[in-house]
Amino acid sequence: MLGVDEEEAAELLQGAVQITWSPADETAACLGMFVITMLARTFSNVGTPADPNICTSWELIINSAQPLAEKAQKLYCTIDAKRFYCGLGVDDFHFVERRPTKILCLLAASFCAAQVTNYVLNLPRGRVSRQGVLINFNEWPGVPLETWEQEADLGALQFAGVGAVGNAITYALQHLPVRGQAALIDPKPVSHGILNRCLWFDENDIGQPKAIVLAEKAGAAASKLVFTPYVKTVQQARTDLGEFNCLVVGVDSRRARRNLQNEMPLEVFDASTTGVTEVVFHHNRQFNGHACMACIYHETEAERTFAHHIAEMLNVTVEDVAEAYISAAASEKICARYGQLVPSTILGKAYDSLFRELCATDKLMTPEQKQVLAPFAFVSQLAGTVLAIELFLRRLQPSRSGNFNYWRVSPWRGIFTDLQQTRAQKSDCEVCAQSDYKWLAQEIWKQK
Ligand SMILES: [Zn+2]
């Protein structure tokens, strides 16, 4: 039913969970299907109302549905147009009549999936709160329901990288009334290691260019958003596309983000994930005087330490990792440690991407042989959903961009608007503080 073969199932976590809703409840069904779509990328056994798995140890009950897995421990979830709750207790909920729009169900589904994952895997205490997660949609996104029916013209977008976060953004955009043109830029093919974080990709796509697969699938789902694939690097695509007026960034590393800001886009929407811990949203526009993407992702001690860690794990030097992409000599060294890899298939791949893929398929050999938590689809999807909502709302109401330019959201803890920040430009930023950066940007964008 989940469309996985035995080999793939073996690599999913050996968890079982039942997701239960009443078939008559359209909102619950919408939320439930989103939860299942995400959890099926993580767990080997996810039961639905139509095909229940009654022997699970955990069952998620949506909107007071009748339980199906009698002996399972229960998690409860309720959602309406104003708020969403998921946790161990039964919420004292007074339903309003209006149903939430699909995009809010998708947003809520990431938090549901995190609660379920926490309890099924029995993750260390402290990742989730005993009170569960409670989200008031009036606080964020904070717009009347009518807003979700207005069509927004997104204009021309350039997606830099269409891996996990790029998948998630386009997955969210199909549930918003948007029109526009999106260039999907990614030189690499779909690989096995990213399947558990990419909702659009499956086994049949392995080896096909990510940009082409995503343009076909996301294009078929979003009627007024036209996707054009570019199986190229961002620098190569710039020759075809000219200046980047709005880069939508979903690349793997801080370093790659700094390089992208150097392309001097007029505007940047960026979303990233910090392992499984949290997601980060960032938006900037030239000449607004606030932080650029390189200010946000400046080189840190942690990054230097992480580069050391990647070098150690992949059997290469820190200097190799600093080059960002795997050279022929480095590919030989990596394959000497990881016999399942072939030099020609990893040549030219970003170090950060290969590292994450090895994490995801649990192939990474740590000196202590301890299990590395694979990245979860619901974390990437939360990053993409937050970005898509802000992009949509900021196009409808440009002044919204003044609210914040940086926001961290935890899939485990819920939404806290007091974490929304307006970060200032860094006086020593390696990109926007360069003496000719502002002058060049003005030359490029003076007519815009
Ligand atoms: Zn900067």
Side-chain angles (χ1 to χ4, degrees):
M1 183 206 66
L2 297 170
V4 297
D5 60 33
E6 267 188 72
E7 190 187 321
E8 187 188 355
E11 290 183 4
L12 295 171
L13 298 173
Q14 296 302 312
V17 63
Q18 168 64 28
I19 312 296
T20 300
W21 65 85
S22 157
D25 184 340
E26 275 180 46
T27 299
C30 176
L31 174 62
M33 284 312 295
F34 282 138
V35 173
I36 286 169
T37 302
M38 293 181 209
L39 290 181
R41 299 287 172 141
T42 300
F43 294 114
S44 54
N45 197 341
V46 185
T48 69
D51 186 9
N53 180 355
I54 55 171
C55 301
T56 58
S57 53
W58 284 94
E59 179 176 21
L60 175 72
I61 306 281
I62 304 177
N63 281 0
S64 316
Q66 279 295 321
L68 294 173
E70 207 177 298
K71 291 181 181 157
Q73 291 179 272
K74 302 288 184 272
L75 265 165
Y76 298 93
C77 160
T78 35
I79 185 168
D80 69 7
K82 287 191 170 171
R83 67 175 195 159
F84 154 77
Y85 161 82
C86 183
L88 295 169
V90 180
D91 190 34
D92 175 24
F93 212 80
H94 301 287
F95 284 100
V96 296
E97 277 196 15
R98 298 196 62 177
R99 295 204 291 253
T101 180
K102 265 190 161 181
I103 193 75
L104 294 180
C105 289
L106 179 62
L107 176 74
S110 277
F111 295 103
C112 267
Q115 295 287 318
V116 170
T117 299
N118 180 78
Y119 289 105
V120 173
L121 293 184
N122 197 16
L123 295 179
R125 276 166 190 269
R127 197 170 277 282
V128 301
S129 148
R130 293 295 291 178
Q131 285 83 45
V133 51
L134 181 64
I135 293 173
N136 179 346
F137 296 135
N138 289 331
E139 285 176 17
W140 190 85
V143 292
L145 273 187
E146 292 74 27
T147 304
W148 304 108
E149 283 151 31
Q150 291 173 35
E151 187 175 274
D153 186 356
L154 303 182
L157 309 170
Q158 299 85 35
F159 279 67
V162 292
V165 175
N167 264 251
I169 297 165
T170 51
Y171 196 86
L173 286 175
Q174 69 175 318
H175 299 297
L176 285 164
V178 292
R179 65 173 188 275
Q181 312 85 42
L184 303 180
I185 308 165
D186 200 309
K188 287 287 161 188
V190 178
S191 60
H192 188 264
I194 59 171
L195 292 185
N196 66 358
R197 305 178 270 150
C198 295
L199 298 185
W200 289 112
F201 297 158
D202 56 50
E203 290 278 344
N204 297 325
D205 302 321
I206 290 175
Q208 303 297 316
K210 283 192 252 182
I212 291 178
V213 176
L214 190 62
E216 279 174 11
K217 294 190 182 180
S223 56
K224 293 187 180 174
L225 204 49
V226 179
F227 294 97
T228 309
Y230 291 84
V231 186
K232 297 176 174 193
T233 65
V234 168
Q235 288 73 18
Q236 289 163 348
R238 188 172 174 164
T239 313
D240 302 326
L241 291 163
E243 302 299 340
F244 296 135
N245 65 299
C246 184
L247 265 188
V248 179
V249 178
V251 294
D252 262 355
S253 77
R254 297 175 70 93
R255 194 183 310 106
R257 286 189 162 77
R258 296 195 291 273
N259 292 341
L260 287 172
Q261 187 67 54
N262 232 345
E263 297 287 329
M264 300 196 170
L266 179 61
E267 198 178 9
V268 171
F269 280 87
D270 167 68
S272 63
T273 58
T274 311
V276 299
T277 309
E278 63 181 9
V279 311
V280 179
F281 166 81
H282 164 63
H283 173 220
N284 76 57
R285 196 180 166 88
Q286 293 283 357
F287 321 121
N288 71 2
H290 300 306
C292 81
M293 189 161 52
C295 296
I296 299 285
Y297 294 98
H298 60 91
E299 190 171 22
T300 60
E301 185 53 39
E303 186 183 350
R304 286 187 282 271
T305 310
F306 187 58
H308 273 277
H309 180 56
I310 292 181
E312 195 177 276
M313 300 303 277
L314 295 184
N315 195 33
V316 295
T317 64
V318 177
E319 290 71 33
D320 289 329
V321 176
E323 286 177 16
Y325 297 96
I326 297 168
S327 68
S331 70
E332 297 287 343
K333 289 192 272 184
I334 294 167
C335 294
R337 178 171 299 175
Y338 297 97
Q340 77 273 26
L341 299 176
V342 180
S344 60
T345 61
I346 60 168
L347 179 65
K349 196 183 262 277
Y351 279 97
D352 304 72
S353 303
L354 177 65
F355 184 78
R356 284 189 187 218
E357 284 168 24
L358 288 169
C359 289
T361 50
D362 226 11
K363 300 261 165 55
L364 214 55
M365 290 184 262
T366 66
E368 308 83 24
Q369 290 295 315
K370 68 173 191 218
Q371 195 190 352
V372 182
L373 260 193
F376 297 124
F378 62 81
V379 181
S380 314
Q381 188 53 54
L382 178 61
T385 306
V386 167
L387 188 152
I389 289 175
E390 281 297 328
L391 172 60
F392 168 73
L393 294 177
R394 285 171 192 220
R395 284 291 184 268
L396 286 180
Q397 189 190 23
S399 65
R400 188 176 168 102
S401 299
N403 293 359
F404 61 95
N405 65 6
Y406 177 87
W407 189 24
R408 290 161 45 217
V409 182
S410 160
W412 313 95
R413 293 297 178 122
I415 278 178
F416 295 93
T417 51
D418 54 359
L419 293 176
Q420 293 171 345
Q421 301 174 359
T422 299
R423 289 209 167 177
Q425 213 168 354
K426 260 175 80 68
S427 59
D428 60 346
C429 173
E430 69 179 72
V431 175
C432 71
Q434 293 294 316
S435 55
D436 54 355
Y437 182 88
K438 195 172 172 192
W439 178 83
L440 269 172
Q442 268 164 346
E443 282 295 299
I444 294 171
W445 297 113
K446 60 190 169 190
Q447 307 297 334
K448 310 291 160 76

